[in-house]
């Protein structure tokens, strides 16, 4: 929406009106990377399953991300708005704990 549209243009009808300019206020949301950390104990297959289940990755892409984390120590699962990123981190941490794996997931502002 343009500023002019937002500010309604000239008032119709009575011929008089109060000018009420409003400040343009739309902002893009800050984005957050959700990161997986490597460890020595979580099975590779479990990490692939996490990426499929919570990040909707194909088996092929999930395998690539898992191997990247395995080799480099850390990797990006996805980029989301704050609330979605926080939910993903919580889901992964709860799922890992439930299965008694030490897999760690965190988030970082882009
Ligand atoms: N390093 C683990 C292994 O060799 C696999 C692994 C990959 C664990 C990615 C965590 O985020 C991770 N079984």
């Amino acid at each position: 929406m343009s500023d002019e549209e937002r500010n309604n243009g000239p008032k119709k009808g009575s011929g008089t009106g109060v000018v009420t300019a409003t400040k343009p206020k739309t902002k893009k949301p800050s984005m957050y990377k959700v990161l997986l950390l490597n460890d020595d104990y979580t099975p590779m297959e479990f990490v692939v399953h996490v990426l499929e289940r919570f990040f909707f990755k194909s088996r092929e892409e999930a395998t690539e991300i898992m191997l990247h984390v395995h080799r480099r120590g850390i990797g990006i699962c996805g980029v989301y708005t704050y609330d979605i990123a926080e939910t993903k981190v919580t889901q992964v941490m709860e799922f890992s704990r439930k299965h008694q794996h030490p897999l760690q997931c965190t988030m970082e502002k882009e």
Side-chain angles (χ1 to χ4, degrees), residues 32-84:
Y32 293 79
K33 292 179 281 200
V34 174
L35 303 163
L36 271 187
L37 305 184
N38 189 36
D39 66 72
D40 291 340
Y41 306 103
T42 306
M44 290 185 174
E45 182 50 44
F46 184 82
V47 179
V48 171
H49 179 68
V50 162
L51 287 159
E52 291 176 323
R53 180 176 176 129
F54 298 113
F55 299 93
F56 306 105
K57 302 299 184 187
S58 65
R59 175 143 291 246
E60 292 70 31
E61 198 184 351
T63 301
E64 284 176 10
I65 294 168
M66 181 280 296
L67 285 173
H68 173 96
V69 176
H70 175 70
R71 292 171 182 144
R72 307 289 298 272
I74 192 165
I76 300 174
C77 311
V79 180
Y80 307 94
T81 54
Y82 186 91
D83 282 40
I84 304 291

